[in-house]
Amino acid sequence: SAQGRCVCVTGSTHGIGYAMAEAFARAGARLVINSHLPDNGALEKLSALTECHFIQADLSTVEGARGLVAEAAGRLGCLDTLVNNAGTFRDVDFEDLESENFERTFDLNVRGYLFASQAFVKALGPDQDNPSIICVGSTNSLAAEKNSVIYDTSKGAVLMMIRSMAVTLARRGVRVNGIGPGIVETPLTRKGLDSGDTRRILKAQIPMGRIGEPDDIGEAAVFLASSGARYITGQMLYIDGGILAN
Ligand code: NAD
């Protein structure tokens, strides 16, 4: 259960972030959701389940990342769980890569996670119960994909950020863990899945034989934030239908 917990999920108007926010809402948490764009109806849907606030902020800027978390703590009057999820993916051929591609991905996928996490630690009250940070990595944190050098490198950085923050923050009572999705159908991946024969080819590579859905991911976030996970820190839980086991 997440009854009465105060949770902020970044990048949560669509896809995996929305599914995690909804799982927290069903488990009784109070929520702040976020996007750099308008809320797309997510606020209304989640408000039917729990107290929910939407804060528009661009997590690819340091001020956006810090500001979101500080404002979330203010609106809820507490903050015990931060889920770093807002991430981007861009497929560019190796020889066409430009500094701009690198910056766009790293500013959001890596720097955004770091400064949101820093702001979370700064906003923590002295006796916050079981505070934790969850970072969404990927199976690409471990296994590379062709033509995905920048994204793969950013997700590898997320894996090490989880471990490094876990070690750094353990004595302050803050746990840091990750969720590593495999292939999940969301607005981010739908176009790619629908191009040519991609969907069929990918399905054949997944031991469980189906593409993941955002709802396959949500409950894991609730667990990692819960008292049942109180001795778990520095870990990434891969949710991939068996891809990495293959
Ligand atoms: P998505 O594009 O469907 O949703 C991303 C959310 O983040 C949206 O709500 C979007 O509005 C928001 N967002 C985008 N840029 C932002 C910014 N600059 N500031 C604030 N919010 C922003 O993506 P998704 O597929 O749900 O991916 C979520 C996370 O999961 C990402 O970190 C992604 O790398 C990771 N992931 C996804 C898959 C997959 O197959 N879909 C697999 C592995 C990892």
Side-chain angles (χ1 to χ4, degrees):
S1 150
Q3 204 58 47
R5 311 272 300 162
C6 302
V7 179
C8 175
V9 185
T10 73
S12 41
T13 56
H14 295 98
I16 291 168
Y18 179 82
M20 292 190 292
E22 191 182 72
F24 274 111
R26 290 193 191 288
R30 298 162 62 226
L31 275 181
V32 167
I33 58 167
N34 151 264
S35 172
H36 61 314
L37 299 173
D39 81 280
N40 183 47
L43 178 61
E44 195 184 325
K45 283 191 278 178
L46 293 170
S47 293
L49 300 173
T50 188
E51 177 189 334
C52 184
H53 306 261
F54 170 70
I55 300 175
Q56 192 167 353
D58 182 350
L59 278 276
S60 69
T61 71
V62 173
E63 316 81 74
R66 284 180 167 156
L68 167 68
V69 173
E71 194 180 336
R75 291 247 201 132
L76 293 171
C78 56
L79 194 60
D80 48 61
T81 306
L82 170 68
V83 183
N84 287 309
N85 167 76
T88 186
F89 174 79
R90 255 168 200 264
D91 229 333
V92 182
D93 284 345
F94 188 76
E95 283 159 64
D96 297 331
L97 291 174
E98 298 290 348
S99 179
E100 179 191 297
N101 302 109
F102 179 87
E103 282 149 22
R104 199 178 298 146
T105 298
F106 268 71
D107 287 358
L108 183 61
N109 293 17
V110 182
R111 194 178 64 185
Y113 282 21
L114 176 61
F115 287 103
S117 301
Q118 183 197 53
F120 172 81
V121 171
K122 286 188 180 184
L124 273 182
D127 41 47
Q128 200 75 66
D129 178 41
N130 193 23
S132 85
I133 298 168
I134 297 167
C135 298
V136 177
S138 170
T139 46
N140 296 53
S141 295
L142 284 186
E145 225 171 294
K146 201 165 65 181
N147 272 329
S148 186
V149 174
I150 291 178
Y151 181 76
D152 291 353
T153 307
S154 79
K155 289 300 183 180
V158 170
L159 173 62
M160 205 59 211
M161 197 195 301
I162 289 163
R163 292 174 174 169
S164 196
M165 293 199 303
V167 168
T168 301
L169 300 173
R171 295 292 173 97
R172 301 170 79 154
V174 181
R175 298 180 301 106
V176 185
N177 291 294
I179 290 176
I183 301 162
V184 180
E185 181 155 359
T186 69
L188 187 70
T189 54
R190 189 160 297 130
K191 217 175 108 206
L193 287 170
D194 283 337
S195 85
D197 220 10
T198 307
R199 186 183 295 271
R200 193 189 58 77
I201 293 164
L202 287 177
K203 262 178 153 172
Q205 292 169 1
I206 301 170
M208 288 186 74
R210 69 170 175 87
I211 308 279
E213 295 162 16
D215 285 343
D216 294 327
I217 311 292
E219 297 292 339
V222 177
F223 167 68
L224 287 173
S226 74
S227 60
R230 62 190 169 271
Y231 199 56
I232 303 177
T233 197
Q235 296 298 318
M236 179 99 90
L237 176 55
Y238 295 96
I239 305 177
D240 65 357
I243 293 173
L244 288 177
N246 215 1

